[in-house]
Amino acid sequence: ASCVELPSVPSVSSEDLSTVPDQTGVYAVLDESQIVRYIGITRKVASCVELHRRDVSTLTKFIKFHITAPDAPKEELQNLWKAWMQDAIELTGGIPDGNMKGNTMWSLKKEASKSSKPELRITSGKGLEDLSVPLDQILKGVVESNKVVAFIKGTRMEPACGFSYQVVSELTKLDVDFEIVNVLDEMYNPGVRDAIK
């Protein structure tokens, strides 16, 4: 078993996620009868639980979680997940159905239309010297022609830093239609990072 055994962790209602932090850890999703249906490992516990609650609401009634250090090594998280899985097997006599091979019900799905929306490209990819209009005017036009534009490090599907991840998560949670400009993309967005400072 683990130093933080699954049975000893109190469960909280999925109706009130205010006590569930959006931090690194291991979590278990339980149904109405408090049977473990899925055990997950993530860098954002609350966000994952919220997606499970949306996608598998009938089985997501209670949550157990253990938060680790934000920079916990992957191996540490995997070991805790394995220990919780062993605890669940000992309690129920089998692997939680959500963790069984081939079960995709618990796979976290983001809305395809929003998650697959491409990032805006400021240039054609030939560099700043190929522009006939100054970069600041192009950026002004981008901001004025879109309701919400997030200038982030990385992409919609793979934000490259915690702040960028938080921006994308919050806008997605709010169901806002937004555009992304990847300030790290020097091929299509050269100079943008410095221009928006």
Side-chain angles (χ1 to χ4, degrees):
S2 64
C3 59
V4 182
E5 294 179 349
L6 179 62
S8 68
V9 176
S11 61
V12 296
S13 170
S14 67
E15 294 302 312
D16 179 19
L17 297 180
S18 63
T19 60
V20 182
D22 211 18
Q23 296 173 8
T24 301
V26 175
Y27 65 97
V29 178
L30 294 79
D31 65 14
E32 190 111 356
S33 302
Q34 299 258 347
I35 295 171
V36 176
R37 303 307 292 251
Y38 180 78
I39 298 174
I41 181 171
T42 182
R43 296 281 176 193
K44 301 280 183 179
V45 172
S47 293
C48 288
V49 169
E50 187 60 47
L51 289 172
H52 290 313
R53 195 170 73 162
R54 181 194 73 195
D55 296 341
V56 198
S57 61
T58 57
L59 299 176
T60 307
K61 298 300 181 185
F62 296 95
I63 307 301
K64 290 186 177 218
F65 62 92
H66 177 72
I67 300 301
T68 62
D71 57 349
K74 187 176 183 179
E75 185 177 311
E76 179 184 326
L77 291 167
Q78 288 172 331
N79 288 338
L80 182 57
W81 179 87
K82 287 175 187 175
W84 276 33
M85 188 61 71
Q86 187 60 44
D87 290 343
I89 291 168
E90 289 172 10
L91 287 170
T92 64
I95 295 171
D97 57 353
N99 293 101
M100 297 195 68
K101 189 173 183 169
N103 186 327
T104 59
M105 183 187 323
W106 294 89
S107 300
L108 295 176
K109 301 173 210 91
K110 296 184 180 176
E111 293 179 46
S113 61
K114 290 185 180 173
S115 62
S116 61
K117 189 175 184 181
E119 286 70 39
L120 292 180
R121 293 178 169 176
I122 304 302
T123 72
S124 63
K126 296 179 182 172
L128 285 176
E129 54 281 344
D130 195 48
L131 297 180
S132 58
V133 178
L135 182 60
D136 61 337
Q137 285 184 1
I138 293 173
L139 294 174
K140 182 179 179 185
V142 167
V143 171
E144 289 174 350
S145 62
N146 295 285
K147 282 188 173 186
V148 179
V149 181
F151 292 86
I152 67 166
K153 294 178 183 175
T155 66
R156 187 180 303 268
M157 293 303 294
E158 294 184 26
C161 72
F163 180 75
S164 295
Y165 176 88
Q166 196 65 33
V167 168
V168 172
S169 294
E170 291 301 318
L171 290 171
T172 302
K173 271 190 228 175
L174 293 170
D175 200 27
V176 172
D177 185 26
F178 63 99
E179 300 296 335
I180 294 286
V181 176
N182 179 359
V183 300
L184 299 179
D185 183 349
E186 285 298 320
M187 178 175 218
Y188 292 102
N189 304 327
V192 170
R193 187 174 182 187
D194 290 330
I196 63 171
K197 287 184 181 181

